[in-house]
Amino acid sequence: MDKKTLNFFGMTYTTDDLLQANLTRFEPYPQLNKDAVLLSTTLDTTGGVMKEVQKDISGATDDKSNAMMAAILKAVSIA
């Protein structure tokens, strides 16, 4: 997996942490609150898969980066 993709995942989790920590402050803004909950739900659904795919780079595949990316994209599309 390339550095750009890993940075994207890191920023996504950081954004979710920030939104969840301030969720009560977003109550006056229904759309922002809805988006925060949607991001959290999506990460709960696909996040574990993304973390595991990033960790498990064993196996016989020579092109591990593309194989991991394909697995993540497939998991996201299923979710």
Side-chain angles (χ1 to χ4, degrees):
M1 186 169 304
D2 62 13
K3 184 73 171 170
K4 182 178 177 182
T5 304
L6 290 173
N7 287 341
F8 173 78
F9 288 145
M11 287 186 290
T12 303
Y13 287 110
T14 300
T15 301
D16 182 52
D17 291 343
L18 178 67
L19 290 172
Q20 294 309 309
N22 294 288
L23 202 54
T24 56
R25 297 174 76 186
F26 301 143
E27 287 176 0
Y29 310 100
Q31 186 60 48
L32 186 55
N33 195 15
K34 181 180 174 184
D35 291 342
V37 170
L38 181 61
L39 176 63
S40 181
T41 303
T42 303
L43 287 177
D44 287 344
T45 304
T46 61
V49 173
M50 288 189 287
K51 287 180 182 177
E52 290 304 315
V53 169
Q54 290 178 51
K55 288 182 202 172
D56 185 12
I57 58 170
S58 61
T61 304
D62 290 332
D63 190 2
K64 289 179 179 34
S65 296
N66 286 335
M68 286 188 289
M69 180 54 70
I72 289 170
L73 293 174
K74 184 66 173 177
V76 170
S77 71
I78 290 170

